[in-house]
Amino acid sequence: FCSVLVDKGSEGVRILNCEISGWGPTTVGAPNAAICLGNYPHEVTIERCFIHSPRGRAQSWRYSHPYGPQAVRLQEPYSLVIRWCDFVGCDSRRFDDVVKCDGNDGYHSGLNRNSDVCGCFLFGANDDCIELDGGQQNVRFFGNRCEEALMGVSIQCNMTSPSYVFDNAFTGLGT
């Protein structure tokens, strides 16, 4: 389930000034995302978007790894920019990860390469606010605010580097 799907190999896409709410199934733990970027999209910009209030919610860690809605789901993007966006869950409608990357441990997975995430507000996840996992070649995460999640930024399996995480505010972690 996706509200916006940028399909495989898409290039030069700009998603601007969108408000997306009420997407996905109401089932607890059903993976779905407001914006899905398919395999190898490049030169994609997500800018000034407000994504909030999914219909479903992620289950807690009590039962197993959380699954459920995400604001953005990525599959091996490069030259991706996410800036000045608000991705907001709430106590009754929490995200799995606010920004989720499929395949956390490959050279081409995660935020892969040449990508920026800046000036965003990421709120309300049962796991990570954002996964940068995987390739992380020239990936920057800066000037963001992450609140109410288990972890702020996942940077596991940094396969190629460098990645930069700086000038961010993190509060309410471990929730």
Side-chain angles (χ1 to χ4, degrees), residues 26 29 51 59 81 84 89 94 139 144 147 158 160 174:
T26 58
I51 297 175
Q59 86 273 12
V81 174
W84 311 313
R94 292 178 71 87
V139 171
N144 300 289
E147 293 187 16
N158 185 330
T160 56

Side-chain angles (χ1 to χ4, degrees), residues 158-171:
N158 185 330
M159 303 297 283
T160 56
S161 73
S163 63
Y164 307 91
V165 177
F166 63 96
D167 196 24
N168 298 288
F170 300 98
T171 60

